[in-house]
């Protein structure tokens, strides 16, 4: 935060964290709007309703999967307004339907790695790397499971500054198996055999493999059943390397 500059506080899981943010903004004399107090968003009749002191906007649901994206979308709209810009209904609608956020529940539909997966597999990439992110990602995947049931397999790489077991715990009862891989582009990467142990501590079936490509080929060659849903994730470093290897870097 910078003194005197507008602050938009999005949805917070922790009341303590929210209070710290509000008090810091007040100390710096920042004009502040807070999710749930000054603005909010909710689903109604298959649409997203954004509400603030200016009124309501009836919008399409965000293109990004997961109910947590409603609050994220609301914070984005509030931030544009706090910065002094007007945002019309048409612009907000276009934002909801065209938004793209690399490595945040990003669906991979083509690329070198995608070509190695079992036929018909649904592949998601997310760089979330802590227990809170694990919960949000698991909830988004559970929503996908309700709409279109598929066996879920994780391909995970993480760094050693994160709570690996806490992250994996969110997927207990949801993921069928975890392949753990090294994060080659970070010195803090957790060895794949150690990461497999952390996944097992969370109650998941896990095994270490040498790379994402190896995991996908192993799945392809051994899979027998409905086409799986695959989540590749656990680290933004890892997610960036996956996009590069797949030949689909952010644009």
């Amino acid at each position: 935060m910078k003194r005197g500059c507008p602050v938009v506080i999005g949805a917070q899981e922790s009341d303590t964290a929210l209070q710290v943010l509000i008090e810091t903004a007040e100390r710096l004399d920042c004009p502040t709007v807070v999710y749930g107090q000054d603005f909010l968003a909710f689903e109604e009749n298959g649409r997203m309703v954004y509400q603030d002191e200016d009124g309501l906007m009836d919008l399409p649901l965000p293109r990004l999967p997961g109910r947590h994206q409603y609050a994220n979308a609301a914070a984005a709209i509030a931030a544009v307004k706090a910065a002094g810009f007007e945002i019309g209904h048409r612009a907000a609608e276009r934002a909801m339907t065209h938004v793209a956020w690399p490595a945040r529940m990003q669906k991979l539909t083509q690329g070198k790695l995608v070509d190695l997966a079992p036929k018909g597999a649904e592949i998601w990439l997310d760089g979330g790397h802590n227990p809170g992110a694990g919960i949000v990602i698991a909830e988004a995947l559970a929503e996908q499971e309700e709409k279109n049931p598929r066996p879920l397999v994780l391909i995970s790489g993480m760094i050693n500054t994160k709570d690996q077991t806490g992250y994996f715990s969110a997927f207990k009862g949801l993921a069928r198996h975890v392949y753990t891989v090294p994060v080659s582009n970070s010195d803090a990467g957790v060895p794949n055999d150690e990461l497999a142990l952390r996944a097992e501590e969370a109650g998941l079936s896990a095994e270490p493999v040498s790379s994402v490509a190896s995991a996908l080929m192993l799945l392809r060659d051994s899979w027998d059943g409905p086409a799986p849903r695959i989540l590749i994730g656990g680290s933004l470093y890892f997610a960036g390397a996956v996009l590069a290897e797949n030949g689909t870097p952010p644009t």
Side-chain angles (χ1 to χ4, degrees), residues 147-178:
K147 298 174 184 176
N148 180 20
R150 290 173 180 252
L152 175 64
V153 177
L154 307 187
I155 301 175
S156 304
M158 299 188 73
I159 60 175
N160 59 22
T161 57
K162 306 303 177 183
D163 179 358
Q164 300 119 46
T165 302
Y167 171 83
F168 286 122
S169 294
F171 300 96
K172 185 177 181 180
L174 186 63
R176 176 177 293 191
H177 192 64
V178 183

Side-chain angles (χ1 to χ4, degrees), residues 38-58:
D38 304 295
F39 68 97
L40 56 85
F42 54 91
E43 182 179 354
E44 187 173 89
N45 298 323
R47 304 270 293 177
M48 189 190 87
V49 178
Y50 171 84
Q51 181 176 359
D52 62 16
E53 63 179 8
D54 296 326
L56 303 174
M57 280 199 285
D58 179 18

Side-chain angles (χ1 to χ4, degrees), residues 5-249:
C5 294
V7 169
V8 175
I9 300 176
Q12 302 295 316
E13 294 181 3
S14 166
D15 290 339
T16 301
L18 175 60
Q19 193 58 37
V20 169
L21 291 170
I22 292 173
E23 290 175 356
T24 302
E26 290 176 347
R27 187 173 68 251
L28 295 173
D29 295 322
C30 297
T32 305
V33 291
V34 180
Y35 183 85
Q37 299 178 21
D38 304 295
F39 68 97
L40 56 85
F42 54 91
E43 182 179 354
E44 187 173 89
N45 298 323
R47 304 270 293 177
M48 189 190 87
V49 178
Y50 171 84
Q51 181 176 359
D52 62 16
E53 63 179 8
D54 296 326
L56 303 174
M57 280 199 285
D58 179 18
L59 301 169
L61 294 177
R63 180 169 172 259
L64 301 174
R67 292 183 180 276
H68 62 290
Q69 297 297 353
Y70 305 164
N72 288 341
I77 294 171
V80 172
K81 289 188 169 188
F85 299 100
E86 291 186 7
I87 180 166
H89 195 273
R90 182 176 296 180
E93 279 198 334
R94 180 172 175 80
M96 296 303 106
T97 56
H98 288 74
V99 61
W101 194 353
R104 292 298 189 185
M105 285 305 290
Q106 178 182 358
K107 192 173 185 180
L108 302 181
T109 58
Q110 60 183 6
K112 297 176 182 178
L113 290 175
V114 172
D115 291 342
L116 300 177
K119 185 176 180 180
E122 181 182 291
I123 304 176
W124 297 89
L125 177 69
D126 195 287
H129 47 240
N130 55 39
I135 291 170
V136 169
I137 297 165
E139 288 176 349
L141 290 170
E143 289 178 21
Q144 296 295 323
E145 177 67 11
E146 289 180 5
K147 298 174 184 176
N148 180 20
R150 290 173 180 252
L152 175 64
V153 177
L154 307 187
I155 301 175
S156 304
M158 299 188 73
I159 60 175
N160 59 22
T161 57
K162 306 303 177 183
D163 179 358
Q164 300 119 46
T165 302
Y167 171 83
F168 286 122
S169 294
F171 300 96
K172 185 177 181 180
L174 186 63
R176 176 177 293 191
H177 192 64
V178 183
Y179 292 102
T180 58
V181 301
V183 179
S184 58
N185 59 341
S186 172
D187 293 337
V190 179
N192 55 351
D193 54 348
E194 181 180 329
L195 190 59
L197 293 176
R198 301 291 85 78
E200 289 174 349
E201 288 174 359
L204 301 177
S205 166
E207 66 179 291
V209 294
S210 61
S211 66
V212 174
S214 296
L216 291 170
M217 288 188 289
L218 184 59
L219 263 178
R220 180 193 63 195
D221 295 341
S222 62
W223 191 259
D224 182 19
R229 176 172 290 118
I230 302 170
L231 171 68
I232 305 175
S235 161
L236 285 170
Y237 290 99
F238 179 51
V242 168
L243 287 173
E245 186 177 355
N246 192 50
T248 53

